[in-house]
Amino acid sequence: MSPSQKPAEIFVPEFDLRQTLESGQIFHAMPTGPGWQVLVDRTPLYVEQQDRVLRVTAGHESLAQNYLSLDHPLESIYAAFPSDPFSRAALQSCRGLRILRQPRWECLATFITSPMKQVAHIRQISLHLRERFGTPVESSLLHAYPTPEQLAGATEQDLRNCGLGFRAKSLLATARTVASQEVDLAALAQWPTGKLRDRLCEFPGVGRKVANCVLLFAYERLDAVPVDVWIARILLAMRRRKSSHLELERYSNRRFGAYAGYVQQYLFHHARMTKSLPAT
DNA sequence: TGCCAGGCCAAAT
DNA sequence: ATTTGGCATGGC
């Protein structure tokens, strides 16, 4: 489809494109005119929103609906949302934010590059890796996220030159494991969450937090709760008891239930945007 | 300048 | 079983 062709229109009852693309799930969305361009694997997708109308690249409507998770039952998720003041404020300010369905390798790899990095810098690393190792995509400024094979051919120094620091060794080792077909990320989708998390944690550079990001963002485990520094501060303020990150994760699962991952994403984005925490 | 960032890991207790 | 220190880099 030519990008100059008239976009297709999709009616969306409950959706916020900007917050969905800028809430630290993906790190490559490029502002383009009134909308954004993203790559879904190797497919360039232009998306813009005007109130309840979404305009997407003609011919890619169903790809867009799937990637943007327009089928997620937000009304049910909101009906089960916690009722404390901070959570209500997060819901009000983030309403319409959706958890994307990300390509699995891209999600795993980008979150291996994420520890002790700010969102803006993860984006910078991600764009560097695409430019340096990824396949160019016709009619797109962006290159595809490098495949495991493309990264497996790099050296640790190549990756350090993209700003990865100590994460270079982990990303390289994981890329080589996946490229060897010793593990099939697609096949893992059938595994139960606990077993899948344990398997993800076997990759170098993947601990519980990164594994939970991958579970939530690439394996549709909407109850998975990544506990980073922001979420830890928020949950500590809510719980008011000295707790490890694992205890906070369990607390979140008990308290927020089957959509705890969704709640977590709203709390994370709201806290970051407003630089605020729950009152204690 | 000094502090912090969507942590992980191995060593020490 | 739980805590601690080291690890690279860039933005504010």
Side-chain angles (χ1 to χ4, degrees), chain A residues 16 18-25 86 89-90 92-95 97 118-120 228 230-231 233-234 264-277:
Chain A
D16 187 320
R18 184 176 65 82
Q19 297 204 87
T20 296
L21 298 182
E22 296 184 345
S23 56
Q25 302 183 56
F86 191 81
Q92 184 177 357
S93 67
C94 299
R95 184 174 283 273
L97 194 169
Q118 295 185 92
V119 169
D228 72 331
W230 283 97
I231 291 299
R233 289 197 287 249
I234 293 164
Q264 168 278 152
Q265 191 64 15
Y266 280 50
L267 298 178
F268 171 79
H269 189 58
H270 177 65
R272 251 176 30 91
M273 293 301 98
T274 63
K275 302 183 189 301
S276 67
L277 290 174

Side-chain angles (χ1 to χ4, degrees):
Chain A
M1 280 304 141
S2 160
S4 59
Q5 185 171 340
K6 188 178 170 189
E9 295 195 343
I10 300 173
F11 179 75
V12 281
E14 191 77 91
F15 186 54
D16 187 320
L17 178 63
R18 184 176 65 82
Q19 297 204 87
T20 296
L21 298 182
E22 296 184 345
S23 56
Q25 302 183 56
I26 59 170
F27 303 91
H28 72 277
M30 298 300 287
T32 306
W36 284 265
Q37 178 166 138
V38 295
L39 285 183
V40 184
D41 280 323
R42 299 193 176 202
T43 305
L45 183 65
Y46 172 77
V47 199
E48 69 179 54
Q49 180 176 18
Q50 190 171 58
D51 300 317
R52 296 189 172 181
V53 174
L54 203 60
R55 295 191 186 84
V56 309
T57 313
H60 291 330
E61 295 92 322
S62 63
L63 177 80
Q65 299 206 37
N66 180 65
Y67 185 64
L68 302 172
S69 302
L70 297 184
D71 57 310
H72 279 173
L74 286 198
E75 291 308 329
S76 300
I77 293 168
Y78 295 163
F81 222 78
S83 57
D84 64 277
F86 191 81
S87 299
R88 302 314 295 183
L91 173 53
Q92 184 177 357
S93 67
C94 299
R95 184 174 283 273
L97 194 169
R98 289 173 186 263
I99 302 289
L100 296 165
R101 286 193 178 90
Q102 290 188 42
R104 297 192 177 96
W105 165 249
E106 175 185 332
C107 183
L108 173 61
T110 59
F111 279 97
I112 285 175
T113 70
S114 76
M116 295 303 294
K117 281 294 182 192
Q118 295 185 92
V119 169
H121 195 218
I122 301 168
R123 173 182 173 85
Q124 191 174 314
I125 290 172
S126 191
L127 295 176
H128 264 123
L129 289 172
R130 285 175 181 271
E131 186 72 22
R132 172 73 178 79
F133 299 105
T135 302
V137 173
E138 190 178 353
S139 79
S140 173
L141 297 170
L142 291 160
H143 291 202
Y145 196 87
T147 63
E149 293 77 13
Q150 286 172 321
L151 288 181
T155 67
E156 185 180 329
Q157 189 56 49
D158 289 335
L159 299 185
R160 282 178 179 268
N161 291 343
C162 293
L164 270 78
F166 59 81
R167 305 155 194 83
K169 187 185 295 284
S170 301
L171 181 60
L172 185 56
T174 300
R176 288 181 174 164
T177 299
V178 175
S180 76
Q181 303 185 31
E182 180 183 323
V183 198
D184 180 351
L185 295 181
L188 295 184
Q190 301 176 50
W191 291 23
T193 299
K195 190 178 166 192
L196 175 52
R197 180 188 292 109
D198 289 344
R199 181 60 193 86
L200 291 170
C201 285
E202 287 178 31
F203 291 116
V206 179
R208 192 166 180 106
K209 189 273 171 183
V210 168
N212 282 338
C213 284
V214 178
L215 287 171
L216 177 61
F217 298 141
Y219 285 94
E220 301 186 60
R221 310 305 162 102
L222 301 183
D223 57 334
V225 177
V227 180
D228 72 331
V229 292
W230 283 97
I231 291 299
R233 289 197 287 249
I234 293 164
L235 295 178
L236 271 174
M238 288 180 173
R239 195 181 189 212
R240 298 170 181 161
R241 191 202 302 185
K242 191 168 97 119
S243 316
S244 68
H245 282 199
L246 183 57
E247 288 170 326
L248 292 174
E249 184 186 327
R250 299 259 143 87
Y251 169 77
S252 173
N253 282 131
R254 281 196 308 276
R255 181 162 165 175
F256 303 148
Y259 295 118
Y262 247 98
V263 174
Q264 168 278 152
Q265 191 64 15
Y266 280 50
L267 298 178
F268 171 79
H269 189 58
H270 177 65
R272 251 176 30 91
M273 293 301 98
T274 63
K275 302 183 189 301
S276 67
L277 290 174
T280 56

